[in-house]
Amino acid sequence: MAKQNSICRVEAAGIKYNLPATQYLVLYKYFGPPVGKDSFVEENLKNLITGNQLRLTSNAEVNDPTDISPKILRDFTKAEMEQSFVRFLEKSGKQFQNRSQRKKYLKENYERYVAHSVNTTKKAITMTGFTCFTEKWNNRLMWAHYAQSHKGVCIGFRTRPRLQEIVVPLAGNCLPVRYGQLRPEMSVKEVMQATLGTERIKNVVLSKDEVWSYEKEWRYLSQIHPKAKLSEGGLKVNLGSNEIVEIIFGLRSNDETEAKIYDMIAKSEKSPKFYRTNFEEGSYELQRALIANRKTPTASPSQ
């Protein structure tokens, strides 16, 4: 997929707007096959295709325990921590009869407050929900790892606005993952002083071990409410009915998988292009063929 400019120019009601956009017109997400009514994958696909809702993930659900697991910087002096502790006690309404009593309480509970501050720093990243995409539909390792050994599907999402559109849920908020050897850092002092910025959070959520670089991952990020139950699939991003533009069936996808996907599409307002994959002759590379007897989109995602 050819790269585009990072700013997209659109017009609505006679006014021209500059919108941020991904470098790719389409980003992809791999799914296993919908293998039963109680299947977690089938529920996600139904919510996505018929309900226009894409489930967000929390940092607790990633398959790599080092992912979104920053190095915590204990970058504070004892005096700074004690000042923070005093402010915390004042806000909580803790009362002391005299300065000596307060000093004794601070000394006895200092280490516990340090541990609390470190844990609060770690929890700061749980306020970000995300969902993952990739640049390519023909990544053979992604098919093997995330589409149940090529039995599932790969879905292409439109990530650039068409003309006359101002808001596209995935436009401007799909950001590339950065791969490296060092874990990102989070500052306890920034959390203590309430100066932790969104860029620091983004750096943590968008940094990943370089061994995963083959995924060429992009992430859609969304701030979440503390009471959201991510582990129960309770947080989703709402998509428009025309955000899905491609559905690609894996090499081992069967008639049941295809029938279920077609049925979901029939119950929606979507009209994606459908493809089947195969190997290129004499090569390990994947190719795809358009399924001509199915509906195709009335407009290109690049418009």
Side-chain angles (χ1 to χ4, degrees):
M1 181 66 66
K3 291 187 176 182
Q4 306 293 321
N5 294 331
S6 60
I7 297 294
C8 183
R9 188 81 166 158
V10 298
E11 181 176 341
I15 302 174
K16 291 184 178 181
Y17 297 85
N18 286 328
L19 292 180
T22 68
Q23 293 175 296
Y24 292 82
L25 302 182
V26 179
L27 288 174
Y28 297 92
K29 193 170 183 67
Y30 292 80
F31 294 86
V35 290
K37 291 184 178 180
D38 297 324
S39 164
F40 186 62
V41 173
E42 182 164 359
E43 180 183 352
N44 281 340
L45 284 170
K46 281 184 178 179
N47 286 335
L48 171 61
I49 295 174
T50 63
N52 298 324
Q53 290 186 321
L54 186 59
R55 180 180 179 273
L56 298 184
T57 299
S58 73
N59 67 308
E61 297 177 275
V62 292
N63 55 5
D64 178 3
T66 66
D67 190 3
I68 320 183
S69 179
K71 176 184 177 182
I72 305 298
L73 298 178
R74 296 175 176 245
D75 52 347
F76 51 84
T77 65
K78 186 172 182 179
E80 288 170 333
M81 180 58 73
E82 287 180 345
Q83 290 172 5
S84 176
F85 196 1
V86 169
R87 290 193 297 269
F88 173 79
L89 292 174
E90 288 173 348
K91 287 182 179 180
S92 65
K94 180 72 173 176
Q95 299 292 324
F96 299 96
Q97 293 181 356
N98 51 51
R99 183 176 293 183
S100 176
Q101 187 186 55
R102 187 180 76 171
K103 186 176 181 180
K104 180 182 178 183
Y105 185 88
L106 290 176
K107 182 178 180 180
E108 292 176 346
N109 293 277
Y110 175 80
E111 291 300 329
R112 191 170 69 173
Y113 184 70
V114 170
H116 166 77
S117 299
V118 171
N119 288 334
T120 299
T121 305
K122 292 178 180 179
K123 288 180 180 179
I125 58 174
T126 66
M127 297 307 296
T128 300
F130 62 94
T131 190
C132 305
F133 301 90
T134 184
E135 298 171 9
K136 298 181 179 295
W137 66 266
N138 58 350
N139 188 319
R140 300 189 297 281
L141 289 176
M142 297 288 281
W143 277 106
H145 297 163
Y146 296 104
Q148 201 173 322
S149 302
H150 296 253
K151 296 175 185 175
V153 296
C154 178
I155 295 181
F157 293 82
R158 182 171 65 98
T159 58
R160 294 287 298 273
R162 293 192 181 117
L163 294 177
Q164 305 300 321
E165 290 181 322
I166 297 302
V167 178
V168 173
L170 300 178
N173 202 18
C174 273
L175 303 171
V177 167
R178 300 179 286 268
Y179 299 96
Q181 295 181 336
L182 300 177
R183 285 162 59 190
E185 299 174 339
M186 282 190 71
S187 162
V188 173
K189 187 174 180 178
E190 286 181 343
V191 173
M192 286 164 44
Q193 298 177 346
T195 59
L196 182 67
T198 56
E199 288 306 311
R200 176 84 75 168
I201 296 289
K202 279 185 180 180
N203 183 53
V204 171
V205 179
L206 295 173
S207 296
K208 203 167 181 178
D209 187 342
E210 66 181 4
V211 298
W212 297 96
S213 60
Y214 74 90
E215 292 185 338
K216 299 185 182 300
E217 184 178 339
W218 290 63
R219 285 179 172 176
Y220 172 91
L221 310 181
S222 178
Q223 189 173 15
I224 65 175
H225 189 276
K227 294 183 179 179
K229 297 180 179 179
L230 284 174
S231 60
E232 297 177 10
L235 188 66
K236 302 177 180 69
V237 56
N238 292 317
L239 302 179
S241 61
N242 56 2
E243 302 304 309
I244 293 177
V245 292
E246 298 176 10
I247 294 181
I248 306 157
F249 294 107
L251 281 165
R252 293 174 172 170
S253 66
N254 57 27
D255 292 343
E256 182 182 8
T257 291
E258 293 191 19
K260 285 187 176 182
I261 296 297
Y262 288 141
D263 182 63
M264 292 177 194
I265 290 293
K267 295 175 181 177
S268 73
E269 299 177 355
K270 298 172 179 58
S271 54
K273 292 180 179 179
F274 292 95
Y275 297 89
R276 286 196 184 93
T277 56
N278 206 337
F279 284 125
E280 290 184 1
E281 187 174 354
S283 168
Y284 290 114
E285 294 293 326
L286 290 173
Q287 61 184 6
R288 66 182 187 178
L290 182 68
I291 301 175
N293 62 340
R294 291 289 172 177
K295 293 190 297 180
T296 58
T298 56
S300 166
S302 60
Q303 289 183 320

